[in-house]
Amino acid sequence: MKEISISNTLETLKSRLDENSLLHVQARFGIYPKKGFVFNNPIEIEELERIIFDNKLILSSNHKEFLLLHNGAEFFTYEYGYSFRLYSIEEAIREYNEMLTHNFSNYFKQNCYPIGSVIDIGPILVDHSKVNQTGKENILLLDNIETIDFCCDLNNWLDRMVCAEGNLYWEWYSKVIQHGFIV
């Protein structure tokens, strides 16, 4: 069995794509649409290290791995856009600088940087506050109302999003009913 890693998740996903980078997905109500994928070319390691040094960035090994495989990507594209995207390093820096001009809390400004976005929801952030201690980042999602803490690293978050075929898996929930009462 393979380990969860950025490269394994992307390799397995890409092996299922047709010659046009399309994948049939199972959607709600029995719909079976094709969704597309756009993978940018990788960034060279020397260029990435220079950008990290010049911008005083703290990147997790997972995020670096993604950028060295694909310096940005759009996942589950369709006629109106995409389900989610992960930014190139240049886009991430641009979005971070934009974030600094808005009314985000000091915690977000000091400990987080945007790595992508979920369509119609908001930015995907990496909380790097514990990267130096644990080597792992934490993924957050900001929307207009709340911050969602996925309590997982980029490896696990990306794997879940691919398994869920781009759907917002965190919105799925169930209620247990026992003896007519919700518990």
Side-chain angles (χ1 to χ4, degrees):
M1 185 160 106
K2 290 183 176 182
E3 283 185 31
I4 292 178
S5 72
I6 300 291
S7 59
N8 285 342
T9 298
L10 294 177
E11 178 183 308
T12 302
L13 171 64
K14 290 191 292 186
S15 74
R16 297 173 36 221
L17 302 180
D18 68 15
E19 64 277 355
N20 296 315
S21 293
L22 297 173
L23 174 71
H24 275 287
V25 297
Q26 179 73 37
R28 295 178 61 199
F29 311 115
I31 299 170
Y32 192 58
K34 281 188 171 186
K35 300 283 180 112
F37 298 83
V38 178
F39 297 103
N40 294 354
N41 290 326
I43 189 168
E44 295 293 327
I45 192 163
E46 298 82 13
E47 178 69 5
L48 180 59
E49 293 297 334
R50 184 192 62 75
I51 291 171
I52 291 170
F53 180 80
D54 290 351
N55 291 280
K56 299 174 180 61
L57 300 175
I58 300 170
L59 298 186
S60 69
S61 58
N62 295 327
H63 193 201
K64 287 178 189 175
E65 180 183 3
F66 172 75
L67 295 168
L68 293 169
L69 292 169
H70 299 288
N71 189 22
E74 292 181 354
F75 294 82
F76 300 96
T77 63
Y78 57 103
E79 62 211 61
Y80 302 112
Y82 52 83
S83 174
F84 69 96
R85 67 185 294 218
L86 294 177
Y87 298 141
S88 68
I89 189 67
E90 297 85 2
E91 290 171 310
I93 292 169
R94 189 169 43 252
E95 291 295 323
Y96 176 75
N97 290 331
E98 182 72 21
M99 187 174 99
L100 293 177
T101 65
H102 289 86
N103 195 21
F104 285 95
S105 74
N106 284 337
Y107 181 85
F108 287 131
K109 291 178 180 179
Q110 293 171 1
N111 297 301
C112 300
Y113 63 91
I115 61 165
S117 64
V118 175
I119 193 81
D120 295 332
I121 304 288
I124 304 163
L125 301 178
V126 166
D127 180 343
H128 61 76
S129 63
K130 294 183 178 60
V131 169
N132 289 337
Q133 298 162 358
T134 66
K136 300 232 180 210
E137 73 283 9
N138 191 37
I139 302 299
L140 306 172
L141 178 66
L142 297 182
D143 70 14
N144 293 328
I145 300 169
E146 62 188 354
T147 300
I148 300 168
D149 183 344
F150 293 108
C151 300
C152 68
D153 61 11
L154 184 58
N155 284 342
N156 284 290
W157 186 84
L158 182 60
D159 189 64
R160 291 173 186 169
M161 285 299 287
V162 170
C163 287
E165 297 183 335
N167 292 299
L168 310 180
Y169 70 87
W170 57 92
E171 291 183 346
W172 302 345
Y173 66 94
S174 300
K175 294 181 182 176
V176 176
I177 300 177
Q178 292 178 348
H179 309 294
F181 297 99
I182 297 174
V183 290

